[in-house]
Structure formats: C-alpha cells, structure tokens
Amino acid sequence: MSKLILNPEYRLYERNGKAFCSSRQVAEEFGKRHADVLRSIEQITAPTSGVSTEFTERNFALSRYKDASGKWNPEYLMTKDGFAILAMGFTGKKAMRFKEAYIRRFNEMEAFIRSLQAAKMEFPAFTDAIMAAHDEPKHYHFSNEINMIYRIVLGMDAKTFREKHGLPKGEVIRPYLTAEQIHAIETLQRVDIGLIVAVPEYEQRKQMLAQYYERMKLKRIA
C-alpha cells in the first residue's frame, strides 16, 4: 500500500488518489475523546450495525499511529462518506459548523487530486521523469515542478492564477491559457524532463529554465 501523505493546505490525507481524515483529527477538532470516536466507528463498522460491509470496507480503514512514548495505537482513516455517516451523531451548532468545514475541505481536496491526476495524464513523460527522480515520489513533487514552470511563464502558480481569474480550487487552468502560454509551458516541461534527473537541485533547475524561457522570448522578438 502506498504511503499516506498529509496535505497541509487542506489538512487531510491522500493515498492512491483518495482523500482521508483520521479519527484522531475528528476527535481533536470536534472536542471528543479519541476512544469515544473509535467506539462510534466500531459500532458503525460492526456487522450488526445495519451498514453494509461494502460501505464500511470502502470508507473506513483501521490504521495505527505512534504516540509520544513510542507506543503504537489504533486509529481509523475515513473517506468523506465515512466521515459523513460518523458525523451524523454529532449535534449542536458548533458540530454543524465543523461538519460543514470538513465536507468543504474534502471537496476541495478531491478537486485538487483530480486536477493533479489530470495534469499527470496530460504530461505522462514529465510525470515519468519526476517519478524516476524520487525514491518515494509524492504528489507535491509534481505540483512543485509544474508550479515552478507556471511561475516562469505566467508569473504566478496555479493557485494564484485560479484566485486571480475567479476559478474554483482544483480547476485545471490549461483551458484558460493562451496558445502561446501553453506552447511555452510544454516546451519548458520537455526541457525539464532532462534536467530533473541531471540537475537535482531545484533552484538551479529553476534558474536554467528561466534563462531558457528568456532566450525563447528573444527569439520570438527577433
């Protein structure tokens, strides 16, 4: 199973293209004892709960974490649907606000994952180069690399571009670019495919790509 990765922007986890929250997060943010949250999940996932085995297996995963003393303890990871059924039992205005915020974060995280996957499919050779350059590739390796190229060509990363143009989080920005911008981005990606392995240092690669882009612009003027 691939490694679970915490996305700090959305404060949710990602594994194999799916977003998760942990029972510890839920306990902390809803002001509950983790033991009580675990008990609620165990009641939901019990064969006698009335919830189908298919649903519980798809939306709840028993995991573990190491506490400050080094002891391993159980926790559950859950999808948006798993969280929704757990949170049905949380009542009160504060709980409602937290539930709304959690669902919004899940939606935004899922949009981010879809956008990232679409970009990886769109630029397979670029993705392969990033995968080859890291012993344990993570989603942010790709987003960091593509955002470096966006900053060189567009003067901003994808997130800032979306905010500037009123686009929703996770929206693919390519349809909103000019043909010239798309050509420049694709050209720099082809150059970067060779640099990723040959020049591991990020700042050095960035400088080389920026210089290459300046030469591209000069050629267009000439």
Side-chain angles (χ1 to χ4, degrees), residues 21 26 41 44 55-56 58-60 77-88 106:
C21 68
V26 172
I41 295 173
I44 293 168
F55 181 91
T56 58
R58 189 170 62 245
N59 295 292
F60 293 94
L77 302 174
M78 66 198 91
T79 65
K80 180 174 69 176
D81 289 345
F83 166 77
I85 199 167
L86 170 68
M88 284 180 183
F106 263 111

Side-chain angles (χ1 to χ4, degrees), residues 3-7 12-15 109 137-140:
K3 187 175 180 180
L4 192 70
I5 303 165
L6 176 65
N7 185 306
L12 293 172
Y13 293 93
E14 183 264 336
R15 176 189 280 160
M109 178 73 167
K138 298 178 173 60
H139 60 78
Y140 59 78

